[in-house]
DNA sequence: TATAATAATGACCAGTTAGTCATTTGTCAA
DNA sequence: TTGACAAATGACTAACTGGTCATTATTATA
């Protein structure tokens, strides 16, 4: 085992017990029998360690899930998915605990972005899986289904992250497969629309690019029937390209489209965009 | 506003941004324009602050939920429950964030116990609500339903804890009501049995008392048909009261009952108990 | 106004931290 | 055995921590 790996393993154990902040480099080096100086031969800083640690495990985990989703037949796909996820949680329960404790890390921006990248990957795998399983039927509800699946993963993992109880993972997976099927086949009132999902998945701090914004607008315009909303949105598209209207008009146009349930998010995006650009 | 409240508000803001550990007392006092000394007139220590902070908000939140569950008619109970929960998350989004970041706090034992107390309260309210709504029909699945409800609460709260997006909470609540109904009426393969739930809810570090253990065993013995398992369990009950059998036999008896699906938890508890007592 | 009582301050303390670097130890070819 | 190079060490630094307390400012009372 390389020195890096040795340190990562030792650090993981301590982080799971005490958290990242509360664990000192000295403790880590003591715990794996090397000197403090040696630590800094492997890692530039304590921060680099947590980054490496997260990469180390998240790469394993995401590739595991990817493999399952790619290689399984439809009939046992979902079961194998849940089983594999919980097996991974069990195998790397310390890491799962660290992820829980240090959850999402809004604190450190870089770390947050890294985690978001992995989460997006996993989201996409789950979405692929759901589409393969249920097809067109869940087109409207797939993002809600995604959230439900992730909610299950999260909640049930508490069972073995915080308690060391031997669990029948096969049974657990079966139980969650049933829940997922029940929801997929009976849910009719989704909450998370495609564009809400897109917004939420946008990197937190990164502003939306003009290009992307225009893309979303054009798509929405195409969807809409002829109406005040459609006309307003089209005018706003023009304003994004060549700002010429006074703030009052822009504000009014935004108010027009905000009423339409399908346009709420575009309105939200546009308001943010114009505000940043000093046009509101 | 009292000085204590002033400090709590300021601290909350900083904790939400940086986390508890990473926020110094100096930063807090700077942020609310008082001296470091003045802080220690209101709180004995930094720890006491986080305790007060959690009490301050959790008391509000739990009593809100309790009120809803007590006062609502069955037909709009669930809707009002979800609506109120998310309204609270929105109103106290900083606190929700702190709870997320500092989640469950396995680190500090006292804090963990405090949170577990509140969580138990909320669990019981949700269970009461579910039983009132669905009655006997969910007797077998109620703990799974509880986990699903909590999973929804958790997952969907990400939408506004990490993004400041205006959401239609009424619609969100409706959507979750449907999901809950769908699950309650169609789920047949629960995973969380009454005794598994009991174990998980047991204070983490606290060992099980002999008394409690005997109570569980007696109950199980009463449930079982005459069988090897029943006899084994009864012998083990004797061993708890008056240890006399050699480890090998105890181990064998444990193995006997571990096979029976209803006895897995008792077996788990007994193994832990005998190990602690040096009888295994 | 004078006095007592209370509230607030911030320099200070002892302890801990991440990170550095002159020095020692180990390794291996000549 | 020697010497050159790499690996590893741990005492050290500067910064920061939670918490204290002699001192000062403010308020209430007489």
């Amino acid at each position: 085992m390389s020195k890096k790996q040795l340190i990562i393993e030792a650090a993981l154990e301590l982080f799971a017990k005490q958290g990242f902040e509360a664990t000192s480099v000295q403790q880590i080096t003591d715990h794996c029998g090397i000197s403090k100086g040696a630590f800094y031969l492997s890692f530039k800083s304590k921060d680099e360690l947590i980054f490496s640690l997260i990469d180390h495990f998240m790469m394993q985990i995401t590739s595991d899930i990817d493999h399952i989703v790619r290689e399984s037949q439809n009939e046992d796909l979902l079961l194998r998915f849940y089983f594999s996820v919980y097996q991974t949680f069990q195998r790397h329960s310390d890491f799962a605990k660290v992820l829980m404790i240090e959850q999402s890390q809004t604190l450190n921006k870089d770390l947050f972005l890294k985690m978001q990248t992995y989460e997006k990957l996993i989201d996409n795998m789950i979405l692929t899986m759901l589409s393969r399983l249920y097809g067109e039927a869940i087109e409207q509800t797939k993002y809600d289904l995604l959230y439900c699946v992730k909610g299950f993963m999260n909640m049930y993992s508490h069972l073995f992250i915080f308690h060391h109880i031997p669990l029948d993972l096969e049974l657990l997976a079966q139980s969650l497969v049933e829940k997922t099927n029940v929801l997929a086949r009976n849910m009719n009132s989704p909450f998370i629309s495609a564009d809400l999902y897109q917004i939420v998945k946008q990197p937190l701090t990164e502003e939306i690019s003009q290009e992307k914004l225009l893309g979303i607008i054009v798509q929405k315009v195409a969807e809409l029937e002829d109406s005040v909303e459609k006309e307003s949105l089209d005018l706003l598209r023009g304003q994004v390209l060549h700002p010429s209207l006074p703030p009052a008009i822009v504000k009014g146009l935004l108010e027009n489209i905000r009423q339409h349930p399908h346009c709420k998010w575009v309105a939200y995006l546009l308001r943010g965009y114009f505000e940043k650009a000093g046009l509101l």
Side-chain angles (χ1 to χ4, degrees), chain A:
Chain A
M1 186 154 51
S2 81
K3 186 134 294 174
K4 273 202 180 200
Q5 289 233 0
L6 184 78
I7 295 174
I8 285 181
E9 301 282 336
L12 180 62
E13 238 175 273
L14 294 170
F15 290 166
K17 262 187 240 154
Q18 317 171 338
F20 174 69
E21 296 262 14
T23 303
S24 69
V25 174
Q26 190 71 64
Q27 275 178 287
I28 297 168
T29 54
D30 285 354
H31 196 255
C32 56
I34 62 169
S35 70
K36 203 169 166 186
F39 174 90
Y40 286 95
L41 294 177
S42 295
F43 297 97
K44 274 217 302 290
S45 66
K46 195 185 167 190
D47 271 346
E48 200 190 276
L49 167 62
I50 189 79
F51 276 61
S52 298
L53 192 150
I54 284 181
D55 270 332
H56 178 81
F57 286 98
M58 284 312 288
M59 280 160 66
Q60 276 183 254
I61 291 172
T62 45
S63 59
D64 273 1
I65 296 181
D66 183 62
H67 183 258
I68 296 277
V69 172
R70 282 185 196 286
E71 300 300 316
S72 298
Q73 302 300 309
N74 276 8
E75 54 264 32
D76 63 353
L77 171 55
L78 201 51
L79 187 76
R80 292 188 59 191
F81 166 77
Y82 278 124
F83 186 80
S84 155
V85 164
Y86 286 111
Q87 207 175 40
T88 307
F89 281 167
Q90 204 168 59
R91 225 194 303 269
H92 306 299
S93 73
D94 271 350
F95 179 68
K97 208 164 174 177
V98 171
L99 268 197
M100 279 265 149
I101 295 174
E102 246 55 56
Q103 190 172 61
S104 50
Q105 282 293 353
T106 13
L107 324 176
N108 182 323
K109 193 182 151 190
D110 291 332
L111 202 50
F112 182 81
L113 289 177
K114 183 181 276 301
M115 278 311 302
Q116 218 182 30
T117 308
Y118 283 114
E119 214 179 311
K120 258 191 212 167
L121 282 176
I122 294 176
D123 274 16
N124 286 336
M125 293 172 199
I126 298 178
L127 284 171
T128 304
M129 177 174 76
L130 293 173
S131 287
R132 246 180 65 195
L133 287 173
Y134 307 110
E136 269 298 310
I138 59 152
E139 190 50 36
Q140 299 303 315
T141 58
K142 66 180 174 187
Y143 297 109
D144 276 74
L145 259 187
L146 168 66
Y147 266 57
C148 292
V149 169
K150 294 213 295 179
F152 295 154
M153 283 166 58
N154 245 293
M155 209 49 223
Y156 282 79
S157 69
H158 279 51
L159 289 175
F160 36 92
I161 289 178
F162 296 113
H163 306 79
H164 292 275
I165 299 175
L167 292 181
D168 185 339
L169 295 191
E170 182 79 24
L171 205 69
L172 173 56
Q174 272 169 21
S175 180
L176 291 179
V177 167
E178 191 205 37
K179 293 188 216 329
T180 311
N181 281 331
V182 163
L183 282 174
R185 287 170 193 148
N186 296 281
M187 195 201 313
N188 294 308
S189 314
F191 177 72
I192 306 175
S193 60
D195 35 4
L196 171 53
Y197 181 73
Q198 217 182 354
I199 304 267
V200 172
K201 279 298 142 186
Q202 206 120 72
L204 247 193
T205 44
E206 206 175 292
E207 278 162 53
I208 189 163
S209 71
Q210 198 195 48
E211 213 175 318
K212 210 161 190 171
L213 180 60
L214 283 173
I216 294 174
I217 297 176
V218 169
Q219 199 191 322
K220 269 281 167 262
V221 169
E223 283 175 21
L224 289 172
E225 310 275 307
D226 280 338
S227 62
V228 177
E229 283 90 358
K230 183 169 184 166
E231 204 184 327
S232 303
L233 198 50
D234 210 46
L235 285 168
L236 286 165
R237 188 178 58 82
Q239 175 73 357
V240 170
L241 277 168
H242 311 291
S244 57
L245 303 170
I249 291 183
V250 175
K251 227 168 190 165
L253 292 172
L254 282 177
E255 208 48 52
N256 287 345
I257 63 169
R258 195 208 308 289
Q259 309 300 333
H260 194 292
H262 291 182
C263 294
K264 282 187 177 176
W265 303 114
V266 196
Y268 168 74
L269 283 180
L270 278 167
R271 201 191 45 194
Y273 177 82
F274 287 135
E275 252 170 25
K276 282 276 174 195
L279 295 168
L280 244 179

